[in-house]
Amino acid sequence: MNRHRILTGDRATGSLHLGHYTGSLANRVKLQYEYDTLVLIADVQALTTHFDRPAGVAAAVRALALDYLAAGIDPEVATIVVQSLVPAIAELTVFFSMLVTVNALRHNPTIKTEAAERGYSELTYGFLGYPVSQAADIAFCRAELVPVGEDQLPHVELARKVIRRFNELYRGRDGQPVLVEPRALLGPVPRLVGLDGRAKMSKSLGNSIDLADPPEVIREKVARAVTDPARVRATDPGHPEVCVVFTYRRAFRPAAELNETEQACRAGRVGCVECKRSLAEALVELLAPARERRARYQAKPGFITDVMVAGTARARRLGEETMAAVREAMSLDHFPRPAFEQEFVLRRQMPSLLG
Ligand code: TRP
């Protein structure tokens, strides 16, 4: 069966949280039986900001693999890939970099934010170019769909543009395009805010609920979440529209219950403490299967390695197929590939040539 292909991934900078889960992880788990799903552990992309902490990135690679398996990525059907071990991604990044203007990168929202925070003088070439390498992540395996959160849409858009440009400029032997223009696939839930009400849930901001959090940590964190500041007593009328806990309810609870909670809050019939308690229990329950799988996989560290090795090996094969077509389309197939495989023959016949 020839299934359509999906690629997504995460930067190897830390473990995954509920924001990742609603943003794209839950979607991947659902789609993996329908699509040929590749999940990329983006360790090179992590280095764009963490180049001075390589050991941390290495630890995050394993943590991500375990998070994926715990979240329900099924190693029997999905392919977990370590980015740095796929040469095709690095090669395509170089070729794509000719097709993207510096201006297009400077207008990319992620780059813009970073530049505003740190200033262009601190911005590296690698960081500026990371949307280009992300385009290569998607292109190397000719993925058609990219399930991501909203924040990634500009990157997918850039990938579409680069790939379109590539296909206009270079054609396969049969005149057909060589690469596949991908489409973004947004999850059903808008981006989850942090426990502190900040727009972004992030482990480094200390406002996340992590997939690996044990029940008591989840309860503790939800208890600390920001609610309606105008509400002093449990009987004061609440304003769910400004409450972090309510946005989580919207993401995780069924609509009927949501209505009920909203009315009870507005009428001052349910207090924040009680509301948080029941939400925390719902989250503890939601993550119960992930906790169980985590414990199971944690006991088999060799298996986690095997899954990454097998997935990465498959990705390398896919990448080599793509690169053969890319080299041909770009007139970079200067001599037949088998020439390399016959190097040992040449070495015997003309040792002086090879040195
Ligand atoms: N930039 C993405 C993030 O921060 C991670 C990522 C790397 C990615 N390569 C990708 C996502 C390719 C989708 C497709 O979450």
Side-chain angles (χ1 to χ4, degrees):
M1 188 174 56
N2 219 346
R3 293 180 302 165
H4 293 284
R5 186 165 293 150
I6 276 180
L7 179 125
T8 44
D10 297 280
R11 294 156 51 86
T13 50
S15 42
L16 297 179
H17 52 62
L18 279 184
H20 294 112
Y21 184 78
T22 57
S24 96
L25 195 49
N27 222 2
R28 299 175 200 168
V29 170
K30 200 173 67 193
L31 296 169
Q32 64 184 337
Y33 296 103
E34 220 176 302
Y35 293 89
D36 177 14
T37 300
L38 283 88
V39 189
L40 187 74
I41 300 181
D43 56 345
V44 179
Q45 192 180 86
L47 290 171
T48 62
T49 50
H50 289 54
F51 52 85
D52 53 350
R53 283 158 281 174
V57 171
V61 167
R62 283 200 74 83
L64 268 185
L66 178 57
D67 272 344
Y68 290 151
L69 295 172
I73 295 291
D74 180 348
E76 295 284 329
V77 299
T79 303
I80 296 179
V81 182
V82 181
Q83 184 190 31
S84 61
L85 292 171
V86 183
I89 296 177
E91 293 174 37
L92 269 183
T93 301
V94 175
F95 298 155
F96 283 176
S97 73
M98 322 301 170
L99 310 181
V100 183
T101 63
V102 173
N103 250 335
L105 294 172
R106 289 179 53 177
H107 289 124
N108 176 284
T110 310
I111 306 292
K112 238 171 147 169
T113 312
E114 187 77 8
E117 273 169 25
R118 299 209 262 166
Y120 270 99
S121 59
E122 292 298 309
L123 201 69
T124 63
Y125 170 54
F127 188 85
L128 183 71
Y130 105 63
V132 181
S133 98
Q134 190 156 324
D137 294 344
I138 298 167
F140 92 89
C141 63
R142 303 191 236 202
E144 293 155 88
L145 285 176
V146 188
V148 283
E150 300 156 73
D151 61 310
Q152 296 294 309
L153 288 181
H155 299 327
V156 180
E157 196 45 46
L158 186 120
R160 287 169 60 82
K161 279 202 189 118
V162 178
I163 291 169
R164 200 176 311 145
R165 186 88 184 102
F166 183 99
N167 284 338
E168 279 164 14
L169 284 165
Y170 316 114
R171 287 279 163 167
R173 196 195 317 212
D174 49 7
Q176 291 301 305
V178 165
L179 298 179
V180 174
E181 231 179 90
R183 273 189 304 120
L185 195 66
L186 272 185
V189 179
R191 182 201 258 201
L192 212 58
V193 299
L195 288 162
D196 54 2
R198 277 195 277 190
K200 195 174 168 188
M201 180 178 275
S202 148
K203 196 178 165 85
S204 59
L205 293 176
N207 65 2
S208 64
I209 297 176
D210 302 332
L211 296 183
D213 282 342
E216 54 291 1
V217 175
I218 296 175
R219 293 187 185 109
E220 209 175 282
K221 284 181 170 178
V222 175
R224 275 196 284 115
V226 172
T227 55
D228 173 7
R231 218 172 172 208
V232 182
R233 278 172 296 261
T235 49
D236 292 345
H239 303 89
E241 66 279 5
V242 299
C243 177
V244 169
V245 174
F246 194 73
T247 65
Y248 290 6
R249 286 193 169 275
R250 195 175 282 136
F252 298 107
R253 303 307 298 157
E257 184 195 292
L258 207 61
N259 276 334
E260 216 173 280
T261 312
E262 179 170 4
Q263 281 166 20
C265 173
R266 286 194 195 286
R269 274 189 281 113
V270 59
C272 296
V273 173
E274 187 186 335
C275 174
K276 283 174 166 179
R277 260 192 213 133
S278 65
L279 175 72
E281 289 322 306
L283 294 180
V284 166
E285 195 185 308
L286 174 83
L287 293 176
R291 242 181 339 266
E292 192 189 300
R293 277 190 295 262
R294 178 177 304 274
R296 217 162 359 104
Y297 286 119
Q298 237 160 359
K300 297 191 290 181
F303 180 77
I304 302 173
T305 306
D306 292 347
V307 168
M308 287 195 279
V309 169
T312 305
R314 175 175 182 235
R316 288 167 69 108
R317 287 196 298 276
L318 292 173
E320 218 14 82
E321 269 169 39
T322 303
M323 290 316 293
V326 162
R327 286 186 200 106
E328 186 179 312
M330 293 184 74
S331 307
L332 294 171
D333 52 340
H334 301 297
F335 30 76
R337 278 262 133 177
F340 289 122
E341 271 110 63
Q342 284 168 21
E343 193 193 305
F344 70 98
V345 179
L346 290 173
R347 195 177 285 282
R348 221 178 316 142
Q349 287 169 350
M350 300 180 284
S352 60
L353 249 181
L354 289 164

